[in-house]
Amino acid sequence: NTNTNPNPNPNPNPNPNPHPHPNAGFKLPPVQHLAGRDCLVLYGLCRLSGTGVDKNPEEAAQWLYRAALLDHLDACVILGEMHLKGEGVPPSASAAAALFRH
């Protein structure tokens, strides 16, 4: 045997990734939590606009409230706007302000 390489690994680079991704080690929150929140908002928006489903602002508000309770900021803003317009929810400037501060 004429192989003089003391390293039996055929890969000459012991570290196949010498430049790790800058986000290496970053831990995401549980995916089901994020996906669930976003899905609540998307379905609420579909109900609000009537995209692909019957338009139902009252039901849209229910789905958006669920997302807002999970701290989804877009849901809070949309709900605040709905309260300002009285769309699907009772008109209430104070409820809108509370949602915008959330």
Side-chain angles (χ1 to χ4, degrees), residues 55-93:
K55 184 174 180 173
N56 187 330
E58 293 80 15
E59 189 176 331
Q62 293 173 11
W63 289 99
L64 292 165
Y65 269 115
R66 291 175 186 161
L69 290 172
L70 295 171
D71 296 323
H72 196 291
L73 297 180
D74 289 337
C76 294
V77 170
I78 296 164
L79 278 168
E81 292 171 351
M82 290 174 72
H83 272 289
L84 288 177
K85 298 175 191 174
E87 184 177 15
V89 292
S92 171

Side-chain angles (χ1 to χ4, degrees), residues 7-51:
N7 183 358
N9 184 353
N11 182 359
N13 183 0
N15 183 359
N17 188 5
H19 306 289
H21 191 276
N23 292 335
F26 176 75
K27 302 266 189 220
L28 286 173
V31 173
Q32 66 273 18
H33 178 70
L34 290 177
R37 263 186 352 174
D38 292 338
C39 289
L40 294 170
V41 173
L42 290 175
Y43 188 67
L45 288 173
C46 288
R47 281 298 195 185
L48 184 61
S49 66
T51 303

